[in-house]
Amino acid sequence: MKLLPFVDVKPEGAVKAAVVWLHGLGDSGDGFAPIVPELRLPKGHGVRFVFPHAPVRPITINNGYQMRGWYDIKTWDLNDRADETGVRESAAAVTQLIDTLIGQGIPAEKILLAGFSQGGVIALHLLPRLPYKIAGVMALSTYMAVPQKLNEEKTATNQRTPVLVNHGTHDEVVPYSAGQAAFQALKHAGFAVQWAEYRMGHSVCPQQIGELSRFIQQQLVQAD
């Protein structure tokens, strides 16, 4: 499998940790890269940010138009929105990228996985299935693919890994209820999940960015 291309934002000085941040449908790794300075991480944080580009593929709900997407969306029905084959293929590709970072000397427990919308679907899919413990997961404005398979496929590896689920109360793309359903599914499955909501649509907001920064620092910087 060819390694996913990505935007690489390296810190000044030594790299001690990494955030792998997955974009949403139709976006690219360039879309979220500008958030790094907005996080206002302390000097010498040592966190490398990796923003991979999803493959270009036809998206059924957009009349087959080719765009970057982690999987196809064939229907707006949330119970059948995520193409399971595509989700699993992208999850494998992101795992390969994480494996590469580990091979470059970043410990798995110093790698945090973040995802917005479609990217969040992949992050939440990987959380219970990764073969090694990671530092945390940030799932933003997203939902869960194949929730009915969560309990049968989960392992205990990341059972205590901190998970932050965020959603906008006015999300016009992924309903608030879908974010809540993902949160509840993880909670009932025994994962260390926490919820935060913001008065916004399908986006991120300044207050949220401050909270994301605190979460990243807690898991990757202050843990040193």
Side-chain angles (χ1 to χ4, degrees), residues 53-218:
H53 303 295
V56 175
R57 66 177 78 231
I59 304 297
T60 301
I61 59 164
N62 289 338
N63 298 314
Y65 186 78
Q66 299 257 353
M67 61 178 63
R68 291 196 182 277
W70 297 107
Y71 52 86
D72 187 20
I73 299 179
K74 298 179 179 179
T75 171
W76 286 110
D77 179 3
L78 273 168
N79 295 318
D80 193 33
R81 182 179 291 192
D83 164 42
E84 184 177 345
T85 299
V87 168
R88 293 185 185 277
E89 288 175 351
S90 286
V94 173
T95 300
Q96 181 188 34
L97 178 56
I98 295 173
D99 288 344
T100 299
L101 295 175
I102 294 171
Q104 292 172 355
I106 304 174
E109 291 195 29
K110 297 293 286 183
I111 296 175
L112 191 150
L113 184 58
F116 177 82
S117 198
Q118 264 207 352
V121 170
I122 303 303
L124 289 183
H125 185 82
L126 282 171
L127 167 71
R129 298 171 174 88
L130 281 172
Y132 35 69
K133 189 180 188 314
I134 58 173
V137 170
M138 301 190 306
L140 315 176
S141 303
T142 192
Y143 60 103
M144 184 175 290
V146 294
Q148 68 276 12
K149 296 184 180 179
L150 174 60
N151 284 316
E152 65 183 77
E153 296 184 359
K154 72 176 182 178
T155 71
T157 306
N158 281 292
Q159 197 87 40
R160 306 316 305 161
T161 296
V163 183
L164 185 63
V165 179
N166 284 183
H167 217 93
T169 55
H170 298 80
D171 196 320
E172 69 285 4
V173 177
V174 179
Y176 173 88
S177 59
Q180 265 286 313
F183 167 74
Q184 293 295 342
L186 289 168
K187 184 178 179 181
H188 291 151
F191 287 89
V193 62
Q194 51 188 298
W195 172 267
E197 59 189 57
Y198 301 89
R199 291 182 60 82
M200 63 180 185
H202 196 62
S203 59
V204 294
C205 65
Q207 180 188 358
Q208 179 189 20
I209 291 173
E211 293 299 327
L212 297 179
S213 176
R214 278 186 277 276
F215 186 80
I216 291 169
Q217 291 181 57
Q218 185 176 22

